[in-house]
Amino acid sequence: MKVAIGGPLKLAFRPWVEGLENVPAEGPAILASNHLSFSDSFFLPAVLDRKVTFIAKAEYFTTPGVKGRMTAAFFKGVGQLPVDRSGARGAGEAAIRSGIEVLKRGELFGIYPEGTRSPDGRLYRGKPGGLARVALATGAPVLPVAMIDTEKIQPPGQVVPKLMRPGIRIGKPLDFTRYQGMEHDRFVLRAVTDEVMYEIMKLSGQEYVDMYATAMKRQLAEAAKAEKEAEKAEREAEKAHRAAVARADKEQAEKLRAAMEQADRKETGGPSER
């Protein structure tokens, strides 16, 4: 990853970095980052000397077909951990356990607390699950990370990235050992997650939205669907209007033709006049 992709990535995009001194040279740590683009998982590891193991959505590992198998092989090769975002607890619990194992080995564990990419570049509410539970179960420090402008390089759906400089800000480590052993207290999990998101917000300068990104994506999808249905209804109404106008014109033309024929018969004399 670092030799084949990291080097060319840094050479081509020249990412700027602040706060590298906050990343420990050894020992476990959690990198909690905002999530603007698919490329976030490439730029952050590229600028670090140490390996970072991220949680990745399960679809990257289960998509069928040749492309799906290649994607799964790549993510497995760089040590990514699958997580099921559909609400099935089994896969999510497995990912949390895997994250804990990564930290127990003294490695870096990367996670996106928002749970998915931001749909509009704003920072959304963190999910009080993986991040807080892993942090409290291991006592590992949490480093807030802000990715800057990566959504401009590769927006969702864009295959070829735009050449421009992204930025990465790494904040000072946050210590949550005061809550250790309380990883099943939902209020503690929320407090830990909110503190991390606040630090990410300060680093990134993003507008904060107090709702989950997944909920916003549903709203946007529903709005797009409603707009599409409204456009369809408008087209159908316009089509019906044009058909009604055409029928009215046809009826008017038939009446006019009948009137002209009647007038013509009167001028030439009909059978009753003869």
Side-chain angles (χ1 to χ4, degrees):
M1 170 70 174
K2 292 187 178 296
V3 175
I5 298 178
L9 200 69
K10 288 192 290 184
L11 184 64
F13 292 91
R14 300 180 299 115
W16 57 266
V17 190
E18 296 176 0
L20 271 178
E21 68 278 4
N22 293 322
V23 181
E26 59 182 19
I30 301 171
L31 298 172
S33 173
N34 60 341
H35 198 11
L36 298 173
S37 169
F38 174 79
S39 59
D40 294 337
S41 298
F42 294 88
F43 284 113
L44 181 56
V47 301
L48 301 178
D49 293 331
R50 301 180 60 185
K51 175 185 175 181
V52 184
T53 300
F54 273 96
I55 279 182
K57 63 180 181 180
E59 291 89 334
Y60 289 145
F61 299 83
T62 59
T63 302
V66 176
K67 182 180 178 182
R69 289 195 294 272
M70 292 176 64
T71 301
F74 172 80
F75 278 95
K76 289 176 183 177
V78 295
Q80 306 301 284
L81 304 174
V83 59
D84 185 354
R85 304 182 304 174
S86 65
R89 291 184 59 84
E93 293 291 334
I96 290 172
R97 290 195 298 271
S98 297
I100 292 173
E101 289 301 317
V102 169
L103 294 167
K104 284 183 177 179
R105 294 196 300 267
E107 300 174 4
L108 298 179
F109 177 61
I111 188 170
Y112 301 113
E114 292 168 279
T116 186
R117 282 175 287 183
S118 171
D120 53 17
R122 296 184 294 177
L123 184 68
Y124 285 82
R125 196 181 195 201
K127 293 190 173 183
L131 166 64
R133 288 183 57 188
V134 172
L136 299 185
T138 61
V142 179
L143 277 66
V145 177
M147 306 301 296
I148 311 293
D149 290 337
T150 53
E151 81 281 9
K152 298 175 183 176
I153 293 175
Q154 191 176 24
Q158 181 173 315
V159 177
V160 180
K162 177 182 178 182
L163 281 176
M164 61 176 293
R165 294 189 72 185
I168 302 171
R169 290 195 181 101
I170 304 172
K172 295 184 179 299
L174 304 174
D175 182 7
F176 295 107
T177 54
R178 63 189 183 277
Y179 296 127
Q180 205 160 356
M182 304 174 67
E183 60 267 24
H184 298 295
D185 187 320
R186 62 188 181 92
F187 296 106
V188 171
L189 295 179
R190 171 48 61 194
V192 169
T193 305
D194 287 347
E195 183 174 340
V196 174
M197 298 308 295
Y198 178 71
E199 294 300 322
I200 294 175
M201 180 187 69
K202 289 197 300 182
L203 290 170
S204 67
Q206 291 171 278
E207 177 187 349
Y208 180 76
V209 183
D210 193 22
M211 67 181 297
Y212 294 125
T214 49
M216 175 57 74
K217 285 186 175 181
R218 284 196 299 269
Q219 285 188 11
L220 293 174
E222 290 170 358
K225 182 180 178 182
E227 183 178 358
K228 188 176 180 180
E229 291 175 349
E231 290 175 353
K232 182 181 178 181
E234 185 177 352
R235 288 194 301 269
E236 291 176 349
E238 180 63 24
K239 183 179 178 180
H241 174 70
R242 288 197 300 268
V245 170
R247 284 195 302 270
D249 290 345
K250 184 178 179 181
E251 291 173 358
Q252 184 67 24
E254 289 176 350
K255 289 179 180 179
L256 181 60
R257 185 171 56 251
M260 292 176 66
E261 289 176 352
Q262 185 177 7
D264 185 59
R265 284 197 298 270
K266 287 183 178 180
E267 289 179 1
T268 57
S272 59
E273 295 176 355
R274 290 195 300 269

